[in-house]
Amino acid sequence: MANADFLNEINKRRTFAIISHPDAGKTTITEKVLLFGNALQKAGTVKGKKSGQHAKSDWMDMEKERGISVSTSVMQFPYGDKLVNLLDTPGHEDFSEDTYRTLTAVDSCLMVIDAAKGVEDRTRKLMEVTRLRDTPIVTFMNKLDRDIRDPLELLDEVEAELNIMCAPITWPIGCGKLFKGVYHLANDETYLYQTGLGHTIQDVRIIKGIDNPELDDAVTSDLAAQLREELELVQGASNPFDQEMFMAGELTPVFFGTALGNFGVDHMLDGLTQWAPKPQSRATEGREVTAEEEKFSGFVFKIQANMDPKHRDRIAFCRIVSGKYKKGMKMRHTRTGKDVRVSDALTFLAGDRSLLEEAYAGDIIGLHNHGSIRIGDTFSSGEDFRFTGIPNFAPELFKRIRLKDPLKMKQLQKGLIQLAEEGAVQVFRPLTNNDLIVGAVGVLQFDVVVARLKAEYNVDALYESVGVSTARWVYGSEKDVDDFRRKTQSYLALDGADNLAYIAPTMVNLSLAQERYPDITFAATREQ
Ligand code: G4P
């Protein structure tokens, strides 16, 4: 039987990621969340694309130059009686593969929406990904200090476009220059907003009761009347919060506020830590593994090189699924069957890292990787299973990579294979020539690869166009695949992990191949 302390450690963990469209305010919210978690002394000191300072979660030079977040980082902090793990995801759409895989490592998501704009493209795509596992979603409508769209209309749009019911928990009073605060529907309390205090944790004035005349004085009687009117509509038209529907990903609690003004973020955090699930079970090929099992297990969802130039190493990010990591413990790397003793796993507080004594289900630990760990790998306490459901996506953009100095072929190959293992890019080596073809989901990945090849492997490389427009992983019976291989050799390549892929010059060519070889599966995603 698991003891009470062990169960308590697991039950108090909340592991989530933020999904949003670029510029909706994810970085700003992360900063405020860390402020509440006492992980930062003062918000506003960490980021400012213009001031030259950067959020702690931005690591690489390229991120700084472009003002986008390339890497995924992990932040752990206490909030109330809970312990929160916030997984940062790259915001730019070019890094979607990393983002998708990060979403396999969380138990819930915070969806941040720019309330002036409503539901945007990238949010739509990310919501589709969370649907694969019915991840519970908490919603934050941001930028209430600007002129926003009608809040009721915003909820309608979320419901219609994202196919999830909305349960407003707070309701805004005015917006833009007239933003006065929010009314908490369940607590029957109004929290008043003050401008200019965004970098601090504010003492918020609370007015109890919707009919309290103090409210009219505080927010003007016009806005108070409008609020009361809107609330009648809201209560008639929207859904009450329902824990079960939330857990099934069918309903999202909605909070309003301004991340920049640090207002409403704490209401959202209160809701998230109270309602979002504790560490959830994960499927393996054979059985479900629950968080409460005492034996350690976990899977790698991300590999990252050179997070800290001083360390020059590669770190595998491992989500603990069950049990507990203890410094010096033995783990089985189930793909290779090797047992390894791990005494130097890392925990992350944004860019800072420190050695870890113990960690529990729900936590993310960083394992030093000397080349043997791949994305999707499972670590266990000896049992031979593999967690499933960590996807690779077929790239949509291709380029041939060429060396400026032909003598560096070995370094180039090594660099590319390592970057492919990390999931930074995909590499295809045609069966019938010596080309190296780089495949990406987004165009920015190409620049990242050349920059990193130079910085980390001392290789100068450049791109040429190549006649490939799509790739599919190829599966079938041994006989069918052998036959297929003989007949279509010039369209076949091996990816970074030696899986066979069909690289099609045109979509028409792909459709024809699919018609001609019905026994072959052409897969657009590959599970690691
Ligand atoms: P992202 O990570 O989702 O891309 O968004 P980020 O937090 O970087 O925010 C994008 C822009 O929106 C930033 O302004 C940020 O200051 C602003 N912002 C975030 N939350 C709020 C809010 O509640 N109200 C208002 N008015 N603005 C908000 P920027 O000018 O692009 O960058 P910066 O130079 O201010 O950092």
Side-chain angles (χ1 to χ4, degrees), residues 241-372:
F241 178 74
D242 179 298
Q243 179 75 28
E244 242 171 72
M245 290 169 76
F246 165 65
M247 290 291 281
E250 292 167 5
L251 173 140
T252 175
V254 181
F255 297 86
F256 290 83
T258 153
L260 197 64
N262 196 18
F263 186 84
V265 175
D266 49 344
H267 313 147
M268 177 279 295
L269 267 176
D270 289 340
L272 190 133
T273 48
Q274 186 187 344
W275 298 319
K278 62 185 185 186
Q280 298 289 287
S281 57
R282 292 288 188 284
T284 68
E285 283 152 343
R287 67 179 185 94
E288 288 266 317
V289 176
T290 65
E292 294 81 10
E293 291 182 26
E294 278 186 77
K295 288 191 171 158
F296 171 90
S297 70
F299 64 88
V300 173
F301 62 94
K302 161 146 191 103
I303 292 177
Q304 188 166 336
N306 301 330
M307 291 194 325
D308 179 347
K310 284 191 299 248
H311 292 263
R312 286 204 72 82
D313 54 3
R314 288 192 289 154
I315 300 294
F317 289 74
C318 176
R319 149 88 194 215
I320 304 181
V321 175
S322 66
K324 171 179 173 181
Y325 161 83
K326 218 169 155 13
K327 189 176 169 181
M329 75 178 287
K330 221 159 70 177
M331 304 178 185
R332 169 144 327 154
H333 185 191
T334 66
R335 184 174 51 78
T336 60
K338 286 206 179 102
D339 289 329
V340 282
R341 195 168 288 286
V342 180
S343 45
D344 57 355
L346 301 167
T347 178
F348 304 96
L349 186 75
D352 304 331
R353 50 197 205 164
S354 50
L355 281 181
L356 184 68
E357 292 298 323
E358 54 183 36
Y360 292 83
D363 290 343
I364 311 301
I365 56 174
L367 302 172
H368 289 274
N369 179 19
H370 306 289
S372 58

Side-chain angles (χ1 to χ4, degrees), residues 183-203:
Y183 170 76
H184 195 293
L185 280 87
N187 298 358
D188 188 22
E189 286 174 344
T190 301
Y191 310 127
L192 295 177
Y193 169 65
Q194 291 169 276
T195 51
L197 296 176
H199 55 288
T200 58
I201 296 178
Q202 302 153 32
D203 284 329

Side-chain angles (χ1 to χ4, degrees), residues 20-28 47-50 142-143 145-146 258-260:
S20 61
H21 191 81
D23 271 350
K26 186 180 62 143
T27 313
T28 313
K47 160 130 193 283
K49 288 166 199 166
K50 288 172 199 125
N142 192 27
K143 306 200 184 180
D145 60 323
R146 290 199 180 156
T258 153
L260 197 64

Side-chain angles (χ1 to χ4, degrees), residues 155 166-171 185 234 238-239 241 252-256:
L155 298 194
C166 290
I169 306 300
T170 62
W171 196 256
L185 280 87
V234 171
S238 68
N239 311 280
F241 178 74
T252 175
V254 181
F255 297 86
F256 290 83

